[in-house]
Amino acid sequence: MPKRWRPPPTAPPKARMDCTLQEHLANIKDQEKPKNSALAEWEKANADPDDQEGPVLSSAQKGAPAGPLPPKEKKKKKEKKKE
């Protein structure tokens, strides 16, 4: 007679955190500050004071788009059928 199937052993419990949720969120925010402050400084340096709406564009994006302009499409004239 075959052996009876038994489920695998359960995973060991995860270690508990050594701080509360509020402390953990405060630590994460402290770690993100240098990234956000660097971005804020870049936005202040590159922001256009006249354009308050829309994203902040770099100097390369503010200029003309790269490459040749697309060709203009010509409109086709419709001919009337004569009977």
Side-chain angles (χ1 to χ4, degrees):
M1 183 179 243
K3 291 184 179 180
R4 180 180 167 97
W5 181 84
R6 298 189 191 271
T10 59
K14 293 184 179 181
R16 292 184 59 97
M17 294 181 64
D18 58 346
C19 60
T20 64
L21 179 62
Q22 289 82 8
E23 293 170 346
H24 179 68
L25 293 176
N27 291 340
I28 290 176
K29 287 184 180 181
D30 289 339
Q31 293 172 358
E32 291 179 356
K33 280 187 180 179
K35 295 176 187 174
N36 293 338
S37 63
L39 177 62
E41 290 174 14
W42 184 88
E43 287 181 341
K44 286 178 185 177
N46 294 303
D48 185 11
D50 298 333
D51 184 23
Q52 295 298 325
E53 296 180 14
V56 176
L57 302 175
S58 67
S59 59
Q61 292 172 328
K62 287 179 185 176
L69 295 174
K72 294 182 180 178
E73 295 181 12
K74 295 181 181 178
K75 294 182 180 178
K76 296 180 181 178
K77 293 183 180 178
K78 294 183 180 178
E79 295 181 12
K80 294 183 180 179
K81 293 184 180 178
K82 295 183 180 179
E83 291 183 18

